[in-house]
Amino acid sequence: MAKTPNTVSLTIMEREYRINCPEGAEYELREAANYLNDKMHEIREASSKAGKVLGADRIAVIAALNITHQLREAENGQVQVNSDIERLNKRVDALLEEDSQLEL
């Protein structure tokens, strides 16, 4: 049976949002909202220190771009790790094959 969505209340930049969330994923959703809220506050604070006043929509776009950039960097890093693991596995396989031939 499919999990029914729950409505979760989240506060981001002093605004409350009610979001549907699959049962059991509430904690992850709250953590994501907290992370987004923290990033948006950092951007607002930095722009304020620079003498700029940014609207919430612009702050949200900047936060989304920054988070997306971080995600893409992590994905690219994972691709490199996967490539390294594949290369090492091939090397181990070749060495094992070499070793088994020496035993014959």
Side-chain angles (χ1 to χ4, degrees):
M1 186 163 98
K3 293 182 177 181
T4 58
N6 294 331
T7 301
V8 177
S9 291
L10 307 169
T11 302
I12 301 172
M13 295 281 292
E14 293 76 41
R15 285 190 60 189
E16 187 172 332
Y17 298 89
R18 295 179 55 77
I19 307 293
N20 284 338
C21 175
E23 185 179 328
E26 297 88 355
Y27 176 78
E28 289 85 1
L29 180 60
R30 283 190 178 93
E31 287 295 305
N34 289 337
Y35 184 80
L36 176 59
N37 186 55
D38 291 345
K39 292 301 175 187
M40 289 179 70
H41 277 281
E42 287 173 15
I43 293 165
R44 182 172 68 182
E45 189 175 310
S47 67
S48 179
K49 285 181 182 177
K52 297 178 183 178
V53 177
L54 300 178
D57 57 338
R58 184 164 174 89
I59 292 171
V61 169
I62 293 168
L65 288 170
N66 288 342
I67 293 167
T68 302
H69 177 73
Q70 291 171 341
L71 174 64
R72 299 286 297 159
E73 283 183 328
E75 288 172 341
N76 290 338
Q78 186 62 47
V79 167
Q80 183 61 48
V81 167
N82 289 344
S83 175
D84 291 346
I85 289 171
E86 185 176 330
R87 182 178 46 78
L88 290 171
N89 279 337
K90 286 180 181 177
R91 186 167 179 209
V92 167
D93 288 344
L95 290 171
L96 288 173
E97 179 66 29
E98 224 176 84
D99 185 52
S100 71
Q101 289 178 0
L102 289 175
E103 290 178 3
L104 296 176

Short mmCIF file of all heavy atoms in Angstrom, two decimals, residues 12-58:
data_model
loop_
_atom_site.label_atom_id
_atom_site.label_comp_id
_atom_site.label_asym_id
_atom_site.label_seq_id
_atom_site.Cartn_x
_atom_site.Cartn_y
_atom_site.Cartn_z
N ILE A 12 10.62 29.07 6.85
CA ILE A 12 11.80 29.48 6.08
C ILE A 12 11.73 30.99 5.93
O ILE A 12 10.73 31.53 5.43
CB ILE A 12 11.84 28.80 4.69
CG1 ILE A 12 11.86 27.28 4.87
CG2 ILE A 12 13.03 29.29 3.89
CD1 ILE A 12 11.71 26.51 3.59
N MET A 13 12.77 31.66 6.38
CA MET A 13 12.84 33.12 6.33
C MET A 13 11.60 33.76 6.96
O MET A 13 10.97 34.65 6.40
CB MET A 13 13.03 33.62 4.89
CG MET A 13 14.34 33.23 4.25
SD MET A 13 15.73 34.24 4.77
CE MET A 13 15.32 35.80 4.05
N GLU A 14 11.27 33.27 8.14
CA GLU A 14 10.15 33.79 8.94
C GLU A 14 8.78 33.62 8.28
O GLU A 14 7.81 34.26 8.68
CB GLU A 14 10.37 35.26 9.32
CG GLU A 14 11.53 35.51 10.27
CD GLU A 14 12.90 35.44 9.62
OE1 GLU A 14 13.06 35.94 8.49
OE2 GLU A 14 13.81 34.85 10.22
N ARG A 15 8.69 32.78 7.27
CA ARG A 15 7.40 32.48 6.63
C ARG A 15 7.11 31.01 6.83
O ARG A 15 7.99 30.17 6.72
CB ARG A 15 7.44 32.79 5.14
CG ARG A 15 7.38 34.27 4.84
CD ARG A 15 7.18 34.56 3.38
NE ARG A 15 5.92 33.99 2.89
CZ ARG A 15 5.59 33.95 1.61
NH1 ARG A 15 6.39 34.46 0.70
NH2 ARG A 15 4.45 33.43 1.24
N GLU A 16 5.85 30.72 7.12
CA GLU A 16 5.46 29.33 7.33
C GLU A 16 4.94 28.74 6.03
O GLU A 16 4.16 29.37 5.29
CB GLU A 16 4.40 29.22 8.41
CG GLU A 16 4.10 27.78 8.76
CD GLU A 16 3.20 27.62 9.96
OE1 GLU A 16 3.21 28.52 10.83
OE2 GLU A 16 2.51 26.60 10.02
N TYR A 17 5.36 27.52 5.76
CA TYR A 17 4.92 26.77 4.59
C TYR A 17 4.39 25.43 5.06
O TYR A 17 4.96 24.80 5.94
CB TYR A 17 6.10 26.53 3.62
CG TYR A 17 6.69 27.80 3.07
CD1 TYR A 17 7.72 28.47 3.74
CD2 TYR A 17 6.21 28.35 1.89
CE1 TYR A 17 8.26 29.64 3.24
CE2 TYR A 17 6.76 29.52 1.37
CZ TYR A 17 7.77 30.16 2.05
OH TYR A 17 8.30 31.32 1.55
N ARG A 18 3.29 25.01 4.46
CA ARG A 18 2.74 23.69 4.74
C ARG A 18 2.99 22.84 3.50
O ARG A 18 2.48 23.14 2.43
CB ARG A 18 1.26 23.79 5.09
CG ARG A 18 1.05 24.58 6.41
CD ARG A 18 -0.39 24.75 6.82
NE ARG A 18 -1.15 23.52 6.93
CZ ARG A 18 -1.07 22.65 7.95
NH1 ARG A 18 -0.24 22.88 8.94
NH2 ARG A 18 -1.83 21.57 7.98
N ILE A 19 3.77 21.78 3.70
CA ILE A 19 4.23 20.97 2.58
C ILE A 19 3.79 19.53 2.78
O ILE A 19 3.92 18.97 3.86
CB ILE A 19 5.79 21.00 2.50
CG1 ILE A 19 6.31 22.44 2.46
CG2 ILE A 19 6.31 20.18 1.33
CD1 ILE A 19 5.97 23.20 1.22
N ASN A 20 3.25 18.91 1.73
CA ASN A 20 2.93 17.49 1.77
C ASN A 20 4.23 16.70 1.71
O ASN A 20 5.14 17.03 0.95
CB ASN A 20 2.03 17.08 0.60
CG ASN A 20 0.61 17.53 0.82
OD1 ASN A 20 0.18 17.77 1.94
ND2 ASN A 20 -0.13 17.65 -0.26
N CYS A 21 4.28 15.65 2.50
CA CYS A 21 5.50 14.87 2.64
C CYS A 21 5.11 13.40 2.82
O CYS A 21 4.21 13.10 3.60
CB CYS A 21 6.26 15.40 3.86
SG CYS A 21 7.72 14.49 4.28
N PRO A 22 5.80 12.49 2.13
CA PRO A 22 5.49 11.07 2.34
C PRO A 22 5.75 10.67 3.79
O PRO A 22 6.68 11.18 4.43
CB PRO A 22 6.47 10.34 1.41
CG PRO A 22 6.96 11.36 0.45
CD PRO A 22 6.85 12.69 1.13
N GLU A 23 4.94 9.77 4.28
CA GLU A 23 5.10 9.29 5.65
C GLU A 23 6.50 8.71 5.83
O GLU A 23 7.00 7.98 4.98
CB GLU A 23 4.04 8.22 5.94
CG GLU A 23 4.04 7.73 7.36
CD GLU A 23 2.96 6.69 7.60
OE1 GLU A 23 1.90 6.76 6.95
OE2 GLU A 23 3.21 5.81 8.43
N GLY A 24 7.14 9.11 6.90
CA GLY A 24 8.48 8.61 7.19
C GLY A 24 9.60 9.51 6.68
O GLY A 24 10.76 9.30 7.00
N ALA A 25 9.27 10.51 5.87
CA ALA A 25 10.29 11.41 5.33
C ALA A 25 10.25 12.79 5.98
O ALA A 25 10.92 13.71 5.52
CB ALA A 25 10.12 11.53 3.82
N GLU A 26 9.50 12.92 7.06
CA GLU A 26 9.33 14.22 7.70
C GLU A 26 10.66 14.78 8.22
O GLU A 26 10.95 15.97 8.05
CB GLU A 26 8.33 14.14 8.87
CG GLU A 26 6.93 13.76 8.46
CD GLU A 26 6.70 12.25 8.42
OE1 GLU A 26 7.65 11.47 8.62
OE2 GLU A 26 5.54 11.86 8.18
N TYR A 27 11.46 13.93 8.86
CA TYR A 27 12.73 14.39 9.42
C TYR A 27 13.64 14.95 8.33
O TYR A 27 14.21 16.03 8.49
CB TYR A 27 13.43 13.24 10.16
CG TYR A 27 14.79 13.62 10.69
CD1 TYR A 27 14.91 14.38 11.86
CD2 TYR A 27 15.94 13.25 10.02
CE1 TYR A 27 16.15 14.74 12.35
CE2 TYR A 27 17.19 13.62 10.49
CZ TYR A 27 17.29 14.36 11.65
OH TYR A 27 18.53 14.73 12.11
N GLU A 28 13.77 14.23 7.22
CA GLU A 28 14.63 14.67 6.13
C GLU A 28 14.13 15.99 5.53
O GLU A 28 14.92 16.86 5.20
CB GLU A 28 14.73 13.60 5.04
CG GLU A 28 15.54 12.39 5.44
CD GLU A 28 14.72 11.34 6.20
OE1 GLU A 28 13.49 11.54 6.41
OE2 GLU A 28 15.31 10.33 6.60
N LEU A 29 12.80 16.13 5.42
CA LEU A 29 12.23 17.36 4.90
C LEU A 29 12.54 18.53 5.83
O LEU A 29 12.94 19.61 5.39
CB LEU A 29 10.73 17.23 4.68
CG LEU A 29 10.03 18.48 4.13
CD1 LEU A 29 10.59 18.88 2.78
CD2 LEU A 29 8.53 18.24 4.04
N ARG A 30 12.38 18.31 7.12
CA ARG A 30 12.68 19.38 8.10
C ARG A 30 14.17 19.75 8.05
O ARG A 30 14.53 20.92 8.12
CB ARG A 30 12.28 18.95 9.50
CG ARG A 30 10.80 19.04 9.74
CD ARG A 30 10.44 18.85 11.23
NE ARG A 30 9.02 19.00 11.41
CZ ARG A 30 8.14 18.00 11.39
NH1 ARG A 30 8.56 16.76 11.22
NH2 ARG A 30 6.86 18.22 11.56
N GLU A 31 15.03 18.75 7.94
CA GLU A 31 16.47 19.01 7.85
C GLU A 31 16.79 19.82 6.58
O GLU A 31 17.61 20.74 6.62
CB GLU A 31 17.26 17.70 7.86
CG GLU A 31 17.30 17.03 9.21
CD GLU A 31 18.04 17.86 10.25
OE1 GLU A 31 19.19 18.22 10.03
OE2 GLU A 31 17.43 18.14 11.31
N ALA A 32 16.17 19.48 5.47
CA ALA A 32 16.39 20.21 4.23
C ALA A 32 15.90 21.65 4.37
O ALA A 32 16.58 22.59 3.93
CB ALA A 32 15.67 19.52 3.06
N ALA A 33 14.74 21.83 4.98
CA ALA A 33 14.20 23.18 5.20
C ALA A 33 15.11 23.98 6.12
O ALA A 33 15.35 25.18 5.87
CB ALA A 33 12.79 23.10 5.77
N ASN A 34 15.63 23.36 7.17
CA ASN A 34 16.55 24.05 8.07
C ASN A 34 17.83 24.47 7.34
O ASN A 34 18.34 25.58 7.53
CB ASN A 34 16.90 23.18 9.28
CG ASN A 34 15.75 23.05 10.24
OD1 ASN A 34 14.84 23.88 10.27
ND2 ASN A 34 15.76 21.98 11.02
N TYR A 35 18.34 23.59 6.50
CA TYR A 35 19.54 23.90 5.72
C TYR A 35 19.28 25.08 4.79
O TYR A 35 20.07 26.02 4.72
CB TYR A 35 19.97 22.66 4.92
CG TYR A 35 21.25 22.85 4.17
CD1 TYR A 35 22.48 22.74 4.81
CD2 TYR A 35 21.24 23.12 2.80
CE1 TYR A 35 23.66 22.91 4.11
CE2 TYR A 35 22.42 23.29 2.10
CZ TYR A 35 23.63 23.18 2.77
OH TYR A 35 24.80 23.36 2.07
N LEU A 36 18.15 25.03 4.08
CA LEU A 36 17.78 26.12 3.18
C LEU A 36 17.61 27.42 3.96
O LEU A 36 18.11 28.48 3.54
CB LEU A 36 16.50 25.78 2.42
CG LEU A 36 15.94 26.87 1.50
CD1 LEU A 36 16.95 27.25 0.43
CD2 LEU A 36 14.63 26.41 0.89
N ASN A 37 16.93 27.37 5.08
CA ASN A 37 16.72 28.55 5.90
C ASN A 37 18.07 29.15 6.34
O ASN A 37 18.27 30.37 6.25
CB ASN A 37 15.87 28.20 7.12
CG ASN A 37 15.51 29.41 7.94
OD1 ASN A 37 14.95 30.37 7.43
ND2 ASN A 37 15.82 29.36 9.22
N ASP A 38 18.99 28.29 6.78
CA ASP A 38 20.31 28.77 7.19
C ASP A 38 21.04 29.45 6.03
O ASP A 38 21.62 30.52 6.19
CB ASP A 38 21.17 27.62 7.73
CG ASP A 38 20.67 27.07 9.05
OD1 ASP A 38 19.84 27.73 9.72
OD2 ASP A 38 21.12 25.96 9.42
N LYS A 39 21.00 28.84 4.86
CA LYS A 39 21.69 29.41 3.69
C LYS A 39 21.06 30.74 3.30
O LYS A 39 21.77 31.69 2.95
CB LYS A 39 21.65 28.43 2.51
CG LYS A 39 22.49 27.20 2.72
CD LYS A 39 23.93 27.56 2.98
CE LYS A 39 24.77 26.37 3.31
NZ LYS A 39 26.12 26.71 3.71
N MET A 40 19.73 30.82 3.35
CA MET A 40 19.07 32.07 2.97
C MET A 40 19.39 33.18 3.98
O MET A 40 19.63 34.33 3.58
CB MET A 40 17.56 31.84 2.85
CG MET A 40 17.20 31.00 1.63
SD MET A 40 15.44 30.68 1.45
CE MET A 40 14.83 32.30 1.01
N HIS A 41 19.47 32.84 5.25
CA HIS A 41 19.85 33.83 6.26
C HIS A 41 21.29 34.30 6.06
O HIS A 41 21.59 35.48 6.21
CB HIS A 41 19.64 33.29 7.68
CG HIS A 41 18.22 33.42 8.15
ND1 HIS A 41 17.69 34.59 8.61
CD2 HIS A 41 17.21 32.50 8.21
CE1 HIS A 41 16.42 34.41 8.94
NE2 HIS A 41 16.11 33.15 8.70
N GLU A 42 22.18 33.37 5.70
CA GLU A 42 23.58 33.73 5.42
C GLU A 42 23.65 34.73 4.26
O GLU A 42 24.40 35.71 4.33
CB GLU A 42 24.40 32.49 5.07
CG GLU A 42 24.72 31.59 6.22
CD GLU A 42 25.41 30.30 5.79
OE1 GLU A 42 25.89 30.21 4.63
OE2 GLU A 42 25.45 29.36 6.61
N ILE A 43 22.88 34.47 3.22
CA ILE A 43 22.88 35.36 2.05
C ILE A 43 22.32 36.73 2.43
O ILE A 43 22.89 37.76 2.06
CB ILE A 43 22.09 34.73 0.88
CG1 ILE A 43 22.85 33.49 0.38
CG2 ILE A 43 21.85 35.73 -0.23
CD1 ILE A 43 22.02 32.58 -0.50
N ARG A 44 21.23 36.73 3.16
CA ARG A 44 20.62 38.00 3.58
C ARG A 44 21.61 38.79 4.44
O ARG A 44 21.78 40.00 4.24
CB ARG A 44 19.32 37.77 4.33
CG ARG A 44 18.64 39.09 4.73
CD ARG A 44 17.28 38.90 5.31
NE ARG A 44 17.38 38.22 6.59
CZ ARG A 44 16.33 37.87 7.31
NH1 ARG A 44 15.11 38.11 6.87
NH2 ARG A 44 16.48 37.27 8.46
N GLU A 45 22.28 38.12 5.37
CA GLU A 45 23.24 38.79 6.24
C GLU A 45 24.43 39.34 5.45
O GLU A 45 24.86 40.46 5.68
CB GLU A 45 23.73 37.81 7.32
CG GLU A 45 24.55 38.45 8.39
CD GLU A 45 24.91 37.46 9.49
OE1 GLU A 45 24.01 36.76 9.99
OE2 GLU A 45 26.11 37.40 9.83
N ALA A 46 24.95 38.55 4.53
CA ALA A 46 26.09 38.99 3.72
C ALA A 46 25.71 40.19 2.85
O ALA A 46 26.49 41.13 2.71
CB ALA A 46 26.60 37.84 2.85
N SER A 47 24.52 40.14 2.27
CA SER A 47 24.11 41.26 1.41
C SER A 47 23.86 42.51 2.26
O SER A 47 24.17 43.62 1.84
CB SER A 47 22.87 40.90 0.60
OG SER A 47 21.74 40.74 1.43
N SER A 48 23.35 42.32 3.45
CA SER A 48 23.11 43.44 4.35
C SER A 48 24.42 44.11 4.75
O SER A 48 24.54 45.33 4.79
CB SER A 48 22.35 42.96 5.59
OG SER A 48 22.12 44.04 6.47
N LYS A 49 25.43 43.28 5.04
CA LYS A 49 26.75 43.81 5.39
C LYS A 49 27.37 44.57 4.23
O LYS A 49 28.16 45.49 4.43
CB LYS A 49 27.69 42.69 5.83
CG LYS A 49 27.40 42.17 7.22
CD LYS A 49 28.37 41.07 7.60
CE LYS A 49 28.03 40.52 8.98
NZ LYS A 49 28.91 39.41 9.36
N ALA A 50 27.02 44.18 3.02
CA ALA A 50 27.53 44.85 1.82
C ALA A 50 26.68 46.07 1.47
O ALA A 50 26.91 46.73 0.45
CB ALA A 50 27.56 43.88 0.65
N GLY A 51 25.68 46.36 2.29
CA GLY A 51 24.84 47.53 2.06
C GLY A 51 23.74 47.31 1.04
O GLY A 51 23.16 48.27 0.54
N LYS A 52 23.42 46.06 0.76
CA LYS A 52 22.38 45.74 -0.21
C LYS A 52 21.19 45.13 0.51
O LYS A 52 21.34 44.41 1.49
CB LYS A 52 22.88 44.74 -1.25
CG LYS A 52 24.02 45.25 -2.09
CD LYS A 52 24.47 44.18 -3.06
CE LYS A 52 25.68 44.66 -3.85
NZ LYS A 52 26.17 43.62 -4.76
N VAL A 53 20.02 45.43 0.02
CA VAL A 53 18.81 44.83 0.56
C VAL A 53 18.22 43.97 -0.57
O VAL A 53 17.86 44.48 -1.62
CB VAL A 53 17.78 45.89 1.01
CG1 VAL A 53 16.50 45.23 1.48
CG2 VAL A 53 18.37 46.77 2.10
N LEU A 54 18.18 42.67 -0.34
CA LEU A 54 17.66 41.75 -1.34
C LEU A 54 16.30 41.24 -0.91
O LEU A 54 16.08 40.98 0.28
CB LEU A 54 18.61 40.56 -1.53
CG LEU A 54 20.04 40.86 -1.97
CD1 LEU A 54 20.83 39.56 -2.07
CD2 LEU A 54 20.05 41.58 -3.31
N GLY A 55 15.41 41.07 -1.87
CA GLY A 55 14.10 40.49 -1.59
C GLY A 55 14.22 39.00 -1.37
O GLY A 55 15.19 38.36 -1.78
N ALA A 56 13.21 38.44 -0.72
CA ALA A 56 13.22 37.01 -0.40
C ALA A 56 13.30 36.15 -1.66
O ALA A 56 13.95 35.11 -1.65
CB ALA A 56 11.98 36.64 0.41
N ASP A 57 12.66 36.60 -2.75
CA ASP A 57 12.70 35.80 -3.97
C ASP A 57 14.11 35.75 -4.54
O ASP A 57 14.59 34.70 -4.96
CB ASP A 57 11.70 36.32 -5.01
CG ASP A 57 11.91 37.78 -5.38
OD1 ASP A 57 12.52 38.53 -4.59
OD2 ASP A 57 11.44 38.18 -6.47
N ARG A 58 14.82 36.86 -4.51
CA ARG A 58 16.20 36.88 -5.01
C ARG A 58 17.11 36.05 -4.11
O ARG A 58 17.97 35.30 -4.59
CB ARG A 58 16.71 38.31 -5.12
CG ARG A 58 18.10 38.41 -5.73
CD ARG A 58 18.39 39.83 -6.19
NE ARG A 58 19.75 39.98 -6.63
CZ ARG A 58 20.17 39.78 -7.86
NH1 ARG A 58 19.31 39.42 -8.80
NH2 ARG A 58 21.44 39.94 -8.18
#
